[in-house]
Amino acid sequence: MSLYYAILGEDGPDSLAKRLAARPAHLERLQALRDQGRLLLAGPFPAIDSPDPGPAGFTGSLIVAAFASLADAQAWADADPYVAAGVYARVQVRPFKKVLP
């Protein structure tokens, strides 16, 4: 049985260039989760009140996906290209119970 997990990545300072460079590999992993029917949602937090923050960039990301265990979710998060590229300064992984819709 799998459960959803929320993966919250918090960007470090001046992360936009690193984020843009690592984005294709990051999206590829998310698309794999989607193709497996495990991705509930994923997206970044704009640094300003705009869907396209331009040079202001982003402050982090939220991914909610199904994994077999917290350890599996943590291992997946640890292997994210944004971690390797130094985009995320901190990553939290927590169990998530979807209620609505």
Side-chain angles (χ1 to χ4, degrees):
M1 177 177 117
S2 60
L3 179 69
Y4 283 117
Y5 293 87
I7 300 168
L8 180 62
E10 297 178 33
D11 283 25
D14 302 315
S15 63
L16 185 57
K18 295 175 196 172
R19 178 181 272 274
L20 293 174
R23 188 170 188 262
H26 173 76
L27 289 179
E28 186 176 313
R29 295 178 82 233
L30 291 173
Q31 289 163 351
L33 286 178
R34 179 200 61 204
D35 293 348
Q36 296 164 12
R38 296 169 49 200
L39 184 64
L40 184 62
L41 64 89
F45 299 114
I48 59 174
D49 191 14
S50 171
D52 181 5
F58 300 90
T59 61
S61 305
L62 173 64
I63 300 163
V64 181
F67 293 92
S69 68
L70 178 59
D72 287 348
Q74 185 69 59
W76 189 91
D78 290 345
D80 193 291
Y82 281 180
V83 172
V87 174
Y88 292 153
R90 180 178 171 197
V91 178
Q92 296 178 355
V93 181
R94 300 181 193 166
F96 179 83
K97 181 179 176 182
K98 182 182 177 204
V99 175
L100 293 171

